[in-house]
Amino acid sequence: MHIQKLFVIITFSKHIVEQMVSLIGAVPGVGPSLQKPFREYLEAQRMKLHHKTDGAAQGENWLSWTFEKLVIVMVCYFILSIINSTAQSYAKRLRQQMHSEEKTK
């Protein structure tokens, strides 16, 4: 819990946020176009932590919406992977039983 608090304090320090955004801008090709959305997102999160949100900052940000959908897709993929693995194990077990029954005949 204390490590998490420390991470939040460090992450949303204005100086460190500016450094992170400038590092994102250094990425060739896509960096400058990603700088503004990340800056807005991190600033909105920082303001939310300080309870200084206004009406415009409370609107849903497209970046947070994208991350939310990405997490949902990852969870769905994980569940489907478990179901697929279970089905393959079951099919293999059935094949082995059928094969062993054929040998005993």
Side-chain angles (χ1 to χ4, degrees), residues 8-75:
V8 169
I9 290 169
I10 290 172
T11 302
F12 293 106
S13 161
K14 190 162 184 84
H15 175 68
I16 294 175
V17 168
E18 288 300 320
Q19 283 182 340
M20 288 191 311
V21 171
S22 67
L23 287 175
I24 290 171
V27 175
V30 295
S33 62
L34 290 177
Q35 245 179 341
K36 184 179 178 188
F38 275 104
R39 179 178 284 125
E40 290 172 356
Y41 175 73
L42 291 172
E43 186 64 27
Q45 292 299 317
R46 189 178 67 80
M47 295 300 278
K48 192 183 291 186
L49 283 174
H50 292 289
H51 304 291
K52 295 180 184 176
T53 56
D54 57 354
Q58 288 179 354
E60 190 162 321
N61 189 346
W62 70 270
L63 191 57
S64 63
W65 182 85
T66 305
F67 284 144
E68 179 181 330
K69 300 311 176 214
L70 178 68
V71 168
I72 289 171
V73 167
M74 288 171 55
V75 168

Side-chain angles (χ1 to χ4, degrees), residues 89-102:
S89 286
Y90 181 71
K92 182 178 178 182
R93 199 173 336 120
L94 285 178
R95 242 182 291 122
Q96 287 175 345
Q97 284 177 351
M98 290 174 66
H99 185 66
S100 65
E101 288 174 1
E102 288 176 1

Side-chain angles (χ1 to χ4, degrees), residues 74-89:
M74 288 171 55
V75 168
C76 290
Y77 178 78
F78 179 69
I79 290 171
L80 288 175
S81 172
I82 290 173
I83 292 170
N84 185 29
S85 177
T86 304
Q88 286 179 355
S89 286

